């Protein structure tokens, strides 16, 4: 292990985490508990067959790997780690009082409350990466992501306030995506970084794969396959024609350049048009959309079967005895309030 090479590819904090040092890799579950995203190969077993692992077994494997490798850092390479299982793993790590650092992939779903994020941090969680994809609600529904931009803002805020780094996978060029939606999506991302609830991100251009709903039913998504041939497992991208006729390639450099600056906490005051060397439509997203979303109070609800977990040390206790007079006791029994002038 002392001969393992650490490489810092770029300054993106999450990408650095992938390659700077070594991580023991494990899975909390086989497959994806959501299994609906229309760009994903959800028809294949490695996605659609969901089989979670028992939390105690996961932590057994962690302890075994620590002994074998002398490394206590873990990357859970799940398609999307289940929140309930993450909670149980965190509790088991705390019960056994083992010191680990770990990170994983998630969905930005409402289950990640502020309390859960604090618990995950206490167990050694240092970072999460999740798919925001196209930060525009119409397209999030078309993708069947099961989240909204507002919900993502709340969840990323919960992780950030707990001290957990948040990386967002971003997407452009999704079928039927308009230029207006690309511009508005960039504005959403700008606001998330400006609000300080995102620390890392990366733009990916949409690719149609053979085993995704878009690849299987392209007519439902406004695209046409150029050929029916399907490549091997790792070479299954399909060339297609988007009926909108938009050249999404021209957005690639600008999206990545602006994001690079946002990750450094600069250039938030730039108008989006300043990034482009061609004319773009005006932003339709209110400039305080994310700020207002974060100000909204979430409903505080407690499940009847909820557990209370004390994360501090041994609490200080103090005993005292309270004496009640005979007269006060009589008045209390009669439910009479004494008259006071």
């Amino acid at each position: 292990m002392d001969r393992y090479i650490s490489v810092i590819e770029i300054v993106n904090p999450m990408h650095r985490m992938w390659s700077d040092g070594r991580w023991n890799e494990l899975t909390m579950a086989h497959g994806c508990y959501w299994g609906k995203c229309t760009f994903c190969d959800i028809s294949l077993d490695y996605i659609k067959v969901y089989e979670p692992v028992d939390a105690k077994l996961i932590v057994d494997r962690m302890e075994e790997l620590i002994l074998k490798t002398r490394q206590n850092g873990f990357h859970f390479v799940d398609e999307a780690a289940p929140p309930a299982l993450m909670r149980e793993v965190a509790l088991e790590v705390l019960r056994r009082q083992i010191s680990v650092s770990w990170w994983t992939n998630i969905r930005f779903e409402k289950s990640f409350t502020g309390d859960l994020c604090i618990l995950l941090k206490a167990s050694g969680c240092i970072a999460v990466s999740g798919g925001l994809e196209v930060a525009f609600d119409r397209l999030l529904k078309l993708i069947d992501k099961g989240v909204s931009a507002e919900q993502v803002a709340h969840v990323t805020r919960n992780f950030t306030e707990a001290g957990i780094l948040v990386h967002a996978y971003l997407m452009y060029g999704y079928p039927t995506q308009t230029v207006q939606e690309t511009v508005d999506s960039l504005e959403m991302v700008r606001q998330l970084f400006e609000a300080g609830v995102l620390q890392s991100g990366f733009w990916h251009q949409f690719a149609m794969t053979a085993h995704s709903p878009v690849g299987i039913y392209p007519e439902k998504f406004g695209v046409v396959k150029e050929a029916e041939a399907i490549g091997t497992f790792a070479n299954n991208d399909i060339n297609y024609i988007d009926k909108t006729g938009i050249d999404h390639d021209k957005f690639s450099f600008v999206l990545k350049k602006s994001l690079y600056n946002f990750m450094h906490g600069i250039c938030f005051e730039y108008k989006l048009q300043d990034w482009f060397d061609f004319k773009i439509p005006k932003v339709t997203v209110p400039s305080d959309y994310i700020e207002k979303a974060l100000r909204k109070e979430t409903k505080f609800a407690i499940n009847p079967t909820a557990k209370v977990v004390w994360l501090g040390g041994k609490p200080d206790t103090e005993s005292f005895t309270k004496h009640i007079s005979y007269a006060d006791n009589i008045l209390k029994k009669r439910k009479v309030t004494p008259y006071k002038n």
Side-chain angles (χ1 to χ4, degrees):
M1 294 301 169
D2 61 336
R3 298 177 65 187
Y4 197 90
I5 298 173
S6 293
V7 180
I8 301 175
E9 297 176 78
I10 55 175
V11 294
N12 182 305
M14 183 60 81
H15 289 187
R16 173 175 176 171
M17 195 177 292
W18 291 339
S19 50
D20 183 14
R22 181 190 179 280
W23 300 92
N24 295 317
E25 294 190 345
L26 288 172
T27 53
M28 291 191 186
H30 177 279
C32 179
Y33 70 95
W34 180 249
K36 296 179 182 179
C37 297
T38 53
F39 62 82
C40 186
D41 290 336
I42 59 176
S43 66
L44 296 181
D45 283 356
Y46 86 98
I47 300 288
K48 73 176 182 180
V49 179
Y50 173 64
E51 295 174 338
V53 181
D54 182 74
K56 292 183 179 179
L57 180 57
I58 292 171
V59 183
D60 285 345
R61 291 173 177 174
M62 293 173 75
E63 290 188 310
E64 184 181 345
L65 279 170
I66 291 171
L67 290 174
K68 286 182 177 180
T69 66
R70 303 296 178 185
Q71 304 283 329
N72 67 343
F74 292 87
H75 175 200
F76 290 98
V77 296
D78 296 62
E79 297 299 319
L85 184 52
M86 290 173 69
R87 180 190 66 225
E88 294 307 313
V89 168
L91 289 170
E92 190 63 25
V93 166
L94 292 169
R95 284 191 196 102
R96 300 191 193 189
Q97 297 183 333
I98 60 176
S99 178
V100 294
S101 296
W102 60 274
W103 59 287
T104 189
N105 310 311
I106 63 160
R107 286 180 64 249
F108 292 120
E109 62 165 87
K110 60 184 179 182
S111 299
F112 290 109
T113 61
D115 282 349
L116 177 56
C117 292
I118 292 170
L119 175 67
L120 297 176
K121 175 66 176 180
S123 73
C125 180
I126 59 172
V128 292
S129 55
L132 173 53
E133 319 308 354
V134 181
F136 197 81
D137 285 343
R138 182 189 77 85
L139 291 167
L140 286 171
K141 289 178 182 177
L142 189 61
I143 291 171
D144 204 358
K145 194 70 189 176
V147 300
S148 65
E150 184 175 307
Q151 182 176 309
V152 170
H154 282 282
V155 172
T156 53
R157 189 260 312 275
N158 292 342
F159 277 111
T160 299
E161 289 184 346
I164 297 173
L165 184 146
V166 185
H167 173 87
Y169 296 111
L170 305 165
M171 184 187 296
Y172 64 100
Y174 192 81
T176 73
Q177 183 174 357
T178 65
V179 172
Q180 182 69 66
E181 287 170 331
T182 300
V183 171
D184 287 347
S185 183
L186 175 57
E187 172 61 14
M188 287 283 204
V189 172
R190 186 196 69 78
Q191 290 186 31
L192 287 166
F193 274 95
E194 186 176 28
V197 296
L198 270 186
Q199 294 78 50
S200 175
F202 191 81
W203 287 101
H204 303 259
Q205 187 166 356
F206 169 78
M208 181 195 285
T209 55
H211 306 286
S212 66
V214 179
I216 297 172
Y217 311 107
E219 65 281 355
K220 293 183 179 181
F221 298 89
V223 292
V224 178
K225 292 181 183 179
E226 289 187 353
E228 292 295 331
I230 297 176
T232 55
F233 175 80
N235 185 30
N236 66 350
D237 285 6
I238 298 174
N239 291 328
Y240 67 94
I241 299 171
D242 191 331
K243 291 181 180 179
T244 62
I246 297 171
D247 178 15
H248 295 288
D249 290 341
K250 67 181 181 180
F251 292 95
S252 178
F253 177 74
V254 172
L255 292 174
K256 292 173 183 177
K257 179 182 178 181
S258 57
L259 182 64
Y260 178 88
N261 285 276
F262 297 159
M263 282 194 292
H264 283 77
I266 58 176
C267 300
F268 296 125
E269 73 281 6
Y270 281 29
K271 293 181 179 179
L272 293 194
Q273 180 63 70
D274 295 342
W275 295 106
F276 293 83
D277 57 5
F278 55 89
K279 190 69 175 175
I280 60 169
K282 289 185 178 180
V283 175
T284 62
V285 178
S287 59
D288 59 352
Y289 180 89
I290 295 298
E291 182 185 345
K292 282 185 175 179
L294 292 173
R295 283 205 302 262
K296 286 183 180 178
E297 292 187 10
T298 54
K299 292 182 180 179
F300 184 74
I302 297 178
N303 191 309
T305 60
K307 297 177 182 177
V308 176
V309 179
W310 175 256
L311 295 176
K314 188 175 181 179
D316 293 331
T317 59
E318 181 181 347
S319 298
F320 65 92
T321 303
K322 183 178 180 181
H323 296 280
I324 188 168
S325 69
Y326 177 77
D328 287 340
N329 197 28
I330 293 296
L331 291 172
K332 187 177 180 182
K333 286 181 179 179
R334 295 179 180 177
K335 296 181 180 179
V336 176
T337 302
Y339 173 76
K340 292 182 181 179
N341 190 355

